[in-house]
Amino acid sequence: MPSRSDITHFGAGPAHIFTDVLEEAAKALLNYNGTGLGIAEHSHRSALAADIINQAKADLATCLDIPDDYEILFMHGGGTGQFSAIVYNFVGAWVARKYKEIFGDIQGDPTEHPELMRELEQAVDGDLKIDYLITGGWSQKASVEGERLLGSEYINIAADARKTNGGKFGTIPDESTWKLSKDAAFVHFCSNETVDGVEFPTFPKSLEPGPDGKGPVVIADMSSNILTREIPVRKFSAIYFGAQKNLGLTGITVVIIKKSFLPPIISQPSARLLRYLALPIPPIILQYETIAKNNSLYNTLSIFNVYVIGQILKKLLQTYHPDKVQAQEAVTNKKAQLIYDAIEASPETYKIIPDKAVRSRINICFRVTKGVDVDAAEKAFLEEATAQGLTGLKGHRSLGGIRASNYNSVSLEGAEKLAGFIRAFATS
């Protein structure tokens, strides 16, 4: 049986976790800081838990240079839960802005002002839109959830890669073809498509704020490429990501949100008003206002999971001091280049799935075309790779092929080992 040191795991998630972090976490799970109780046994309402949460937030802010006017939330439900949460919260924020424009400083029951209510209804019916950029399976699922919650009349598919790529994902449509709404509640995109191996190379120019600093409300799913590159945080209204790829264990989702979308600057409309407008009311556990007010402790949060996140952040800060995520980005790019160079060296054996201009540095998707039977060739590739301790390389069930996930916990030596195997398999 192989030992942990014999394995380099390239699985898409849950991903490999640094061994030294797990060793410390195992100790903490039995007896945290000499308290006689494991960390998972301490109350989430304790000062100990609050310290763990606050330190993790501070270290994440340091790693990513998150400005002070952004809040960090730890939530449940994974990235998939955020497909719903962003709709509830940002549609509510859009309604709150429109309400302020129409009602001004009028207080009390809005239904007592029927003319103003009709104007608000007309604004909702005519102007409320959510824009989605569909570049892979996850952004497509996000758009489906938006439509399920609101109805198709409120959803605008501003771009869909399948329409310009023969019905398949693998490209990002040219920005000149995007059909963005004038005043969308938000524009959503997935920064890196884990399944399809497509990554936005830079922040889209179409979504850049103007000289006055104003621009679209931009939300990004960064579940698989967070902490692998610098992020222009100020250009986003919200960023969300599951922890289980680059940050820790399954079970915690992180949301970075601009405070201008939280009280006291803006609050969610009342449930009564949303019902009147036939718009969905957010479950309280998905309401950012509630989570922020309670420092992510509205209900029982897994403090152990937050502790692991904190330990990984400390490791990254120590390893890449003083350049932080910029240094991690350089390592990520080097690992990705090693693997892509090995694949491209044997075009008769391998075919990279996405277009070169947008191929992911994080989820490297390719097919093994050696011989006449692709399935047999890929099966042999996976079996031989596993025998050499290279695991987790099977592609997503919807796409097939091979997928090497180049997360932060994959060492440079691990990437070199995979690149060597790719070259050797091609000549075997």
Side-chain angles (χ1 to χ4, degrees):
M1 296 289 291
S3 66
R4 184 174 179 86
S5 61
D6 296 326
I7 299 296
T8 303
H9 187 60
F10 294 92
H16 172 79
I17 296 174
F18 298 112
T19 297
D20 56 348
V21 168
L22 283 182
E23 288 172 342
E24 287 303 308
K27 295 176 186 176
L29 197 55
L30 288 173
N31 187 348
Y32 182 68
N33 280 4
T35 61
L37 286 177
I39 197 168
E41 298 166 303
H42 280 276
S43 169
H44 64 297
R45 303 293 184 194
S46 65
L48 176 152
D51 287 345
I52 290 170
I53 290 172
N54 293 334
Q55 188 60 59
K57 288 167 64 174
D59 287 342
L60 182 61
T62 299
C63 276
L64 295 177
D65 292 322
I66 299 172
D68 291 340
D69 57 341
Y70 283 74
E71 183 60 81
I72 297 170
L73 312 176
F74 295 120
M75 297 182 67
H76 307 273
T80 304
Q82 292 306 312
F83 297 165
S84 306
I86 57 175
V87 174
Y88 290 130
N89 288 273
F90 281 89
V91 165
W94 187 94
V95 171
R97 292 196 302 274
K98 290 296 177 185
Y99 183 91
K100 181 66 175 176
E101 290 173 14
I102 295 168
F103 281 78
D105 295 325
I106 295 175
Q107 302 294 317
D109 184 356
T111 61
E112 293 179 356
H113 306 276
E115 290 186 8
L116 297 180
M117 282 301 296
R118 278 194 295 272
E119 188 177 346
L120 180 59
E121 287 181 83
Q122 289 170 356
V124 170
D125 292 342
D127 301 330
L128 175 58
K129 293 290 182 185
I130 298 176
D131 285 2
Y132 288 95
L133 306 176
I134 299 180
T135 56
W138 289 114
S139 52
Q140 191 266 336
K141 286 183 178 181
S143 72
V144 169
E145 179 65 353
E147 182 175 345
R148 189 184 73 86
L149 291 175
L150 282 187
S152 60
E153 65 270 28
Y154 296 116
I155 303 302
N156 174 46
I157 305 303
D160 188 335
R162 295 168 296 184
K163 292 185 176 180
T164 56
N165 195 46
K168 297 180 179 180
F169 293 123
T171 63
I172 295 176
D174 189 274
E175 291 189 40
S176 64
T177 68
W178 295 3
K179 295 179 173 58
L180 297 167
S181 302
K182 183 179 179 181
D183 182 29
F186 63 84
V187 183
H188 176 276
F189 71 96
C190 182
S191 179
N192 182 84
E193 293 281 2
T194 316
V195 172
D196 302 279
V198 171
E199 184 176 22
F200 279 80
T202 58
F203 187 86
K205 294 187 184 304
S206 301
L207 305 182
E208 290 275 357
D212 59 358
K214 296 181 180 179
V217 176
V218 181
I219 300 175
D221 176 355
M222 295 190 179
S223 290
S224 50
N225 67 347
I226 195 68
L227 291 167
T228 69
R229 70 190 315 172
E230 286 190 84
I231 301 170
V233 177
R234 286 203 178 277
K235 296 180 181 181
F236 295 93
S237 298
I239 297 165
Y240 66 90
F241 44 93
Q244 69 274 12
K245 300 177 189 296
N246 279 305
L247 200 56
L249 303 170
T250 303
I252 295 287
T253 308
V254 183
V255 177
I256 302 169
I257 182 170
K258 198 168 187 178
K259 290 180 181 177
S260 59
F261 289 94
L262 297 170
I265 302 171
I266 192 168
S267 295
Q268 286 290 308
S270 68
R272 181 181 180 186
L273 179 60
L274 290 174
R275 278 195 296 269
Y276 187 94
L277 297 170
L279 293 174
I281 301 165
I284 198 164
I285 197 62
L286 294 181
Q287 191 174 52
Y288 296 150
E289 176 180 339
T290 300
I291 305 305
K293 281 181 179 178
N294 290 276
N295 194 28
S296 300
L297 290 171
Y298 177 73
N299 70 329
T300 307
L301 188 70
S302 173
I303 300 302
F304 176 70
N305 284 23
V306 179
Y307 166 81
V308 172
I309 287 172
Q311 294 303 109
I312 289 174
L313 289 170
K314 288 187 184 302
K315 181 179 178 67
L316 293 177
L317 285 170
Q318 292 167 1
T319 302
Y320 297 111
H321 180 78
D323 296 324
K324 300 176 292 190
V325 77
Q326 296 94 324
Q328 176 66 68
E329 181 173 2
V331 173
T332 299
N333 294 347
K334 184 174 183 179
K335 292 187 295 175
Q337 196 61 55
L338 281 167
I339 297 169
Y340 276 120
D341 284 349
I343 297 168
E344 290 182 316
S346 300
E348 72 286 349
T349 302
Y350 307 110
K351 182 182 188 312
I352 298 170
I353 297 174
D355 183 79
K356 187 171 185 176
V358 298
R359 66 190 188 186
S360 172
R361 303 163 305 124
I362 311 303
N363 304 107
I364 299 167
C365 299
F366 60 100
R367 302 304 301 258
V368 181
T369 57
K370 184 178 184 179
V372 294
D373 189 338
V374 173
D375 289 340
E378 290 178 343
K379 181 180 179 182
F381 181 96
L382 291 169
E383 288 176 350
E384 291 185 31
T386 300
Q388 294 193 28
L390 303 167
T391 63
L393 288 165
K394 187 175 182 179
H396 190 271
R397 61 187 179 278
S398 67
L399 194 64
I402 311 298
R403 174 174 54 175
S405 294
N406 177 32
Y407 298 133
N408 289 346
S409 59
V410 173
S411 66
L412 181 60
E413 293 74 20
E416 290 171 340
K417 184 177 179 181
L418 176 59
F421 170 73
I422 288 169
R423 292 179 186 274
F425 184 85
T427 57
S428 63

